[in-house]
Amino acid sequence: MKGIAVAVCLVMCFVSLASASPDGARVEGDLRIGGVGSGLVFPDGSVQYTATLKGPQGPAGQVTLDSICSVISASQKVLPLFCLTAITVAPASPSISAGNMVRFSATGRFTDNSTQDLTAAVLWSSSNTSVATIDRGGSASAVSAGSATITAAYGSITNSAMFTVQAAAQSQAQLTAIIVTPTQWRTSAAGNQQFSATGVFNNGTTQNLTAAVTWSSSNTAVATIAASGIANAVSAGVATITATYGAVTGSTAFTVEGVLTSLLVEPGYSTVSAGGTQRFFAQGIVSGGSSQDLSAAVIWSSSAPSIATIDASGNATGVSVGVATISATYGVFTSSATFTVQAPLSGGQLGSSF
């Protein structure tokens, strides 16, 4: 067994594991909730072991998920699907007056290019608590004029945002209204929309409060909305999207005109020579017969990475001779296509699709 396999097999490793497959294991939920998995196979097929899994905050003396991913990365192995690769902190550079607050969010990106809200899981910190403090949920309070770096950390993976606090004298105006835009938005059930909240003060000034307000949906069966103000359509109907800051609120209507009924991957069948590429597309079929391009929104995967790989944009590459199933997943919907890789032909590369 290779060196990395020996290193992993010698320890009790910790992460939340859904199942084992030739494509690796996928994390479900908070990584710090333990689970038991067996026969984990890395995407290159080189490592197999049985492990009890937990997250980066494991007890002293035990090997953590973060250190496992670091060891594998250092050995230039293909990372398993559960490894966290980056954290995005939003908003990136807010500026508010002393006495106000901003709600930060942390989004984790994993090896398979999927994302997960880690706002409640990361460790938040402020570089200057005399300027700004931040609680475990990502809510930062502006204390006094100056700048502070707000950092979100999950194991060894970190990212930061610059938080600027203006002088308290600038915060005397009273908030009188909140304007939510866009207004009267319409979309299909496969769509989403970033909403913005603008605060109007009694001295005639305005301020962007998108990151500071509390967002809510009147009907989560029709549309949900994240702390960042991004609303996701769920099913046909109308929901009221509301932004709240203290006792002041603003709202707008969000209409979903159709329901996503199926997903279609195109081309359904394609053939390339080893080393050749093929671009796949994912179409969301909405009730009523209309369609929407979801190629950039789905999660792409290959049933056999040793035969064919595919990136987050739907670009597949033939690796070796054989047949692989290329799949696109969007929520509960999945669609697949057959991708055949043949031996390189003399005189040039042959490819076909239909």
Side-chain angles (χ1 to χ4, degrees), residues 255-349:
T255 302
V256 181
E257 297 179 320
V259 177
L260 184 66
T261 58
S262 62
L263 193 65
L264 177 65
V265 172
E266 298 176 319
Y269 299 88
S270 57
T271 301
V272 301
S273 298
T277 61
Q278 172 67 51
R279 175 70 185 277
F280 286 91
F281 299 90
Q283 293 292 328
I285 309 302
V286 180
S287 57
S290 62
S291 63
Q292 183 172 345
D293 184 5
L294 298 179
S295 302
V298 298
I299 296 175
W300 292 100
S301 62
S302 168
S303 64
S306 62
I307 294 175
T309 60
I310 188 165
D311 63 20
S313 299
N315 298 303
T317 301
V319 178
S320 63
V321 176
V323 178
T325 299
I326 300 299
S327 298
T329 301
Y330 186 90
V332 298
F333 297 96
T334 299
S335 181
S336 303
T338 300
F339 188 39
T340 302
V341 181
Q342 61 185 17
L345 300 178
S346 58
Q349 175 183 306

Side-chain angles (χ1 to χ4, degrees), residues 63-85:
V63 174
T64 64
L65 165 63
D66 183 58
S67 62
I68 292 173
C69 291
S70 297
V71 170
I72 297 170
S73 177
S75 66
Q76 298 183 337
K77 296 291 182 182
V78 177
L79 289 172
L81 297 185
F82 58 68
C83 285
L84 180 68
T85 59

Side-chain angles (χ1 to χ4, degrees), residues 201-214:
F201 295 84
N202 60 357
N203 63 357
T205 62
T206 61
Q207 184 177 338
N208 185 352
L209 299 180
T210 303
V213 298
T214 298

Side-chain angles (χ1 to χ4, degrees), residues 54-130:
K54 191 174 176 154
Q57 308 301 325
Q62 293 180 326
V63 174
T64 64
L65 165 63
D66 183 58
S67 62
I68 292 173
C69 291
S70 297
V71 170
I72 297 170
S73 177
S75 66
Q76 298 183 337
K77 296 291 182 182
V78 177
L79 289 172
L81 297 185
F82 58 68
C83 285
L84 180 68
T85 59
I87 292 175
T88 300
V89 175
S93 54
S95 177
I96 65 173
S97 300
N100 293 317
M101 62 175 287
V102 169
R103 180 171 298 153
F104 286 91
S105 64
T107 301
R109 183 169 294 277
F110 295 85
T111 317
D112 63 352
N113 207 38
S114 64
T115 59
Q116 180 180 335
D117 183 2
L118 298 182
T119 303
V122 297
L123 179 63
W124 292 100
S125 63
S126 168
S127 65
N128 191 342
T129 54
S130 65

